[in-house]
């Protein structure tokens, strides 16, 4: 098991949109390495010829009638949890600097 | 009943089982149902029965937090299907129970708010992640509670608190309106005082739902099965593993002996993959958790990056990306971040085949082993947990906490139904701690679990 490098942890944090303190980088580097070393026991399991199971029900192409479902939620209910709203829309920061 | 339930919740605040009550709405609904009854209108099978929902069910009448700082202030615009079904039968939600934030944990210590105490010994954990729900039922706050089970989160706290917990077949109960942990494992389950109550509630909440495409069509009542001799498979090799409490084994064997005396047959079986299954479970859990939590961006709902520079992460930034990062860094606790990072790792290009796809293939292999076993037995028995409830803070290493789930995760990996019922208690530090026995059945064979469970407890 290759222990995770500091750079690898920073890359994961970047991909996860999380910011880590110096202390957390070290802590997670250690903990993540330990957990990954543990789960590598799976290497020994023979899965030749088996398709990965992504779901267990065996249901296929479940469709519903193309009808709107009335949740009885009004636009104002959907917007009330947002930090910033303008003209009945979510307001966000500029994308480009 | 509703008022009595609310009074008991107030009386037992020191166990920290409850995050919030839905008092006003509950009393209003109780009055409405009283009126209906007076006028001779139809009031439903559970009319006026109070219940407590884990705080990851979207419910009206207050906030839904998932015990997370991210959703501390969240008010839902719609309710979970399971809640709607219970309300249609006249049941009344009186409070929201504590959990490991986002259902990430096995002890309720990972709640972003507070740690729930075990009703039998306040220095110990109630189990998790539905720890608040199980503690509330054990403390008589309500006749039943709803929990969710991703890797044992209903059965584990049921075992630690001395109550009954059911994880139904995946797809039996709609997940609509339940804040997702790992979507291919999550299943809603009742926590009750008796096996018969679990059966009644399972009947009330299950069924096809157009809002959850994984629910199967199942409108008929499951017939009760007559009391008949069953073949009980005992996963001996897993029970004999290191780290399984000796008193737990003794109690487990005694319970099996009783079942044998009652006419059932015991068969030792082996499922070699039951142990490495834990690794597959956690890989898939991390992957699905990181994907499910990607939606929290601090724009539409949930914690937004705080205004001003007051917070540790610098508050609201200059760009949209800064806001994403700050909202997520402030809103997610340590265990949740750990799982997001691990999930991102196992799904990242270069590692996805070796970790995520390998785990899902192992899942298929595990299910094949279980199905093969079910050719010769009707039900598979283990203890629910390796040990009785541990003390708060005892398992500070995340990996040690994950190993708690060894007996429960296979039901989630295979989608099979499983039930935990109390099988007595063990003495620790002068306190009697409850322990549970765990039965797994093939897909949609909940009736076998209810029949056998009722014989034990």
């Amino acid at each position: 098991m290759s222990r995770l490098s500091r750079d690898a942890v920073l890359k994961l944090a970047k991909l996860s949109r999380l910011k880590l303190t110096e202390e957390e980088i070290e802590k997670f580097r250690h903990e993540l390495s330990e957990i990954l070393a543990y789960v590598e026991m799976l290497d020994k399991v023979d899965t030749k010829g088996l398709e990965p199971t992504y779901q267990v029900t065996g249901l296929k192409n479940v469709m519903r009638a193309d009808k709107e479902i009335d949740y009885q939620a009004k636009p104002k209910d959907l917007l009330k949890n947002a930090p910033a709203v303008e003209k009945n829309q979510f307001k966000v920061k500029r994308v480009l600097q | 009943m509703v008022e009595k339930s609310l009074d008991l919740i107030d009386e037992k605040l020191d166990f920290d089982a409850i995050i919030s009550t839905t008092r006003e709405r509950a009393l209003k609904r109780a009055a409405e149902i009283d009126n209906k009854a007076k006028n001779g209108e139809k009031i439903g099978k559970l009319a006026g029965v109070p219940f407590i929902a884990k705080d990851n069910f979207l419910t009206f009448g207050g906030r839904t937090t998932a015990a997370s700082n991210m959703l501390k202030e969240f008010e839902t615009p719609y309710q979970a299907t399971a809640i709607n079904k219970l309300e249609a039968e006249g049941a009344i939600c009186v409070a929201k129970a504590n959990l490991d934030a986002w259902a990430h944990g096995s002890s309720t210590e990972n709640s972003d708010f507070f740690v729930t105490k075990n009703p039998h010994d306040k220095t110990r954990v109630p189990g998790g992640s539905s720890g608040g729900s199980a503690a509330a039922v054990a403390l008589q706050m309500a006749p039943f509670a709803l929990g969710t089970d991703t890797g044992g989160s209903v059965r584990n706290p049921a075992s630690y608190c001395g109550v009954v917990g059911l994880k139904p077949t995946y797809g039996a109960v709609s997940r609509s309106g339940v804040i997702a942990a790992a979507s291919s494992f999550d299943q809603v389950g009742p926590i009750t005082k008796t096996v018969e109550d679990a059966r009644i509630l399972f009947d009330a909440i299950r069924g096809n739902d157009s809002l959850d495409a994984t629910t199967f069509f199942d409108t008929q009542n499951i017939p009760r099965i007559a009391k008949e001799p069953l073949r009980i498979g005992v996963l001996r090799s897993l029970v004999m593993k290191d780290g399984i409490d000796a008193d737990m084994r003794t109690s487990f064997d005694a319970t099996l002996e009783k079942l044998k005396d009652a006419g059932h047959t015991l068969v030792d079986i082996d499922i070699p993959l039951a142990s490495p299954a834990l690794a597959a479970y956690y890989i898939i859990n991390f992957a699905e958790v990181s994907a499910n939590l990607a939606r929290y961006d601090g724009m539409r709902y949930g914690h937004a990056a705080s205004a001003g520079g007051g917070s540790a992460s610098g508050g609201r930034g200059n760009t949209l990306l800064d806001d994403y990062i700050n909202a997520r860094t402030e809103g997610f606790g340590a265990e949740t971040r750990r799982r997001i990072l691990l999930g991102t790792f196992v799904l990242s290009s270069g590692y996805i085949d070796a970790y995520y796809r390998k785990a899902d293939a192992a899942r298929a292999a595990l299910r094949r082993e279980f199905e093969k076993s079910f050719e010769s037995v009707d039900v598979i028995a283990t203890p629910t947990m390796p040990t009785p409830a541990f003390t708060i803070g005892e398992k500070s290493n995340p990996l040690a906490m994950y190993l708690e789930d060894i007996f429960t995760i296979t039901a989630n990996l295979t989608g099979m139904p499983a039930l935990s019922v109390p099988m007595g208690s063990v003495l620790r530090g002068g306190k009697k701690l409850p322990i549970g026995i765990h039965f797994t059945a093939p897909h949609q064979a909940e009736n076998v679990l209810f029949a056998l469970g009722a014989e034990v407890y």
Side-chain angles (χ1 to χ4, degrees), chain A residues 1-2 4 8-21 24 27-65 69 71-74 76-85 90-97, chain B residues 73-78 170-171 184 210-211 213-216 273 275-276 278-280 282-283 286 288 298-302 304 313 316-326 328-329 332 334 337-338 340-342 344-346 348 354-365 367-368 397-399 402-403 412-415 443:
Chain A
M1 162 70 201
S2 51
L4 284 180
V9 175
L10 286 173
K11 188 178 170 216
L12 289 177
K14 189 177 171 219
L15 290 170
S16 306
R17 303 285 185 262
L18 291 170
K19 202 186 284 179
L20 302 179
T21 62
E24 285 172 327
K27 186 174 137 242
F28 281 132
R29 197 167 81 87
H30 173 75
E31 287 175 354
L32 268 49
S33 300
E34 189 189 20
I35 294 164
L36 290 172
Y38 175 79
V39 300
E40 276 168 13
M41 71 157 91
L42 267 192
D43 288 350
K44 293 192 207 103
V45 176
D46 180 14
T47 52
K48 223 182 291 162
L50 283 174
E51 282 293 307
T53 301
Y54 297 118
Q55 55 109 326
V56 294
T57 58
L59 294 172
K60 275 183 191 151
N61 298 337
V62 177
M63 309 285 191
R64 66 169 177 84
I69 295 170
Y71 279 96
Q72 305 197 324
K74 307 272 184 313
K76 73 168 173 43
D77 298 326
L78 297 172
L79 290 166
K80 74 180 169 189
N81 288 294
V85 171
F90 296 120
K91 188 178 172 188
V92 298
K93 281 278 162 63
R94 57 193 295 177
V95 178
L96 301 171
Q97 240 166 340
Chain B
E73 313 282 341
F74 181 72
E75 287 180 40
T76 180
Y78 69 100
Y170 185 86
S184 79
S210 62
L211 299 175
T214 62
T215 50
F216 47 76
L273 286 178
S275 186
L278 194 66
Y282 272 101
I283 289 172
F286 299 148
E288 294 187 10
M299 288 189 323
R300 296 157 301 157
Y301 52 86
S313 59
R316 214 147 165 119
N318 292 321
T319 64
L320 192 59
L321 180 62
D322 291 339
D323 275 5
Y324 283 164
I325 292 174
N326 291 347
R328 292 168 63 79
T329 302
F332 289 134
R337 285 197 233 175
R338 189 177 297 124
I340 292 173
L341 292 169
L342 283 161
T344 305
F345 177 82
V346 301
S348 57
Y355 288 90
Y356 179 65
R357 292 204 179 101
K358 178 76 182 177
D360 265 326
R363 185 179 186 179
R367 178 153 176 195
R368 209 161 58 170
N397 176 308
L399 189 56
Y402 297 165
L403 298 175
N412 302 84
L413 283 161
T414 60
H443 277 238

Side-chain angles (χ1 to χ4, degrees), chain B residues 106-120:
Chain B
S106 312
S107 69
T108 314
E109 291 170 293
N110 291 333
S111 166
D112 285 349
F113 305 152
F114 39 74
V115 179
T116 300
K117 283 89 190 164
N118 189 302
H120 302 269

Side-chain angles (χ1 to χ4, degrees), chain B residues 90-343:
Chain B
I92 298 170
C93 178
V94 292
K96 304 298 292 292
N98 198 20
L99 60 146
D100 288 294
W102 309 99
H104 300 167
S106 312
S107 69
T108 314
E109 291 170 293
N110 291 333
S111 166
D112 285 349
F113 305 152
F114 39 74
V115 179
T116 300
K117 283 89 190 164
N118 189 302
H120 302 269
D121 178 353
K122 273 194 186 170
T123 65
R124 293 177 185 269
V125 302
S129 65
S130 312
S133 298
V137 174
L139 291 165
Q140 323 268 5
M141 290 174 175
F144 76 94
L146 280 191
T148 58
D149 192 311
T150 304
S153 285
V154 160
R155 295 159 284 153
N156 157 340
S159 159
Y160 281 1
C161 294
V163 292
V164 174
L166 170 74
K167 186 210 80 92
T169 307
Y170 185 86
V173 183
S174 170
R175 293 173 294 114
S176 176
V178 178
I179 296 168
S183 305
S184 79
F185 296 143
D186 294 347
Q187 189 57 202
V188 172
I191 295 173
T192 58
K193 307 283 287 182
T194 67
V195 176
E196 178 61 12
D197 284 354
R199 193 187 65 77
I200 293 169
L201 289 161
F202 173 58
D203 261 344
I205 58 177
R206 73 196 168 82
N208 183 52
D209 180 12
S210 62
L211 299 175
D212 176 358
T214 62
T215 50
F216 47 76
F217 289 83
D218 183 28
T219 49
Q220 284 164 347
N221 279 327
I222 298 178
R224 275 171 202 267
I225 56 166
K227 203 175 159 183
E228 61 185 51
L230 295 168
R231 296 163 300 169
I232 303 170
V234 183
L235 253 180
R236 187 60 62 188
S237 56
L238 202 58
V239 179
M240 295 313 289
K241 261 177 89 85
D242 288 348
I244 314 299
D245 186 88
D247 292 344
M248 181 72 88
R249 272 190 209 131
T250 309
S251 198
F252 177 66
D253 287 338
T255 308
L256 289 177
E257 276 310 307
K258 262 191 270 173
L259 289 170
K260 192 176 161 192
D261 292 344
H264 303 291
T265 319
L266 304 180
V267 188
D268 273 357
I269 57 163
D270 194 19
I271 295 184
L273 286 178
S275 186
L278 194 66
Y281 169 79
Y282 272 101
I283 289 172
I284 298 166
N285 178 295
F286 299 148
E288 294 187 10
V289 159
S290 74
N292 275 327
L293 294 181
R295 73 189 65 170
Y296 292 93
D297 53 16
M299 288 189 323
R300 296 157 301 157
Y301 52 86
H303 176 80
S306 29
S311 79
S313 59
R316 214 147 165 119
N318 292 321
T319 64
L320 192 59
L321 180 62
D322 291 339
D323 275 5
Y324 283 164
I325 292 174
N326 291 347
R328 292 168 63 79
T329 302
E330 293 167 7
F332 289 134
E335 176 62 21
T336 301
R337 285 197 233 175
R338 189 177 297 124
R339 293 194 189 199
I340 292 173
L341 292 169
L342 283 161

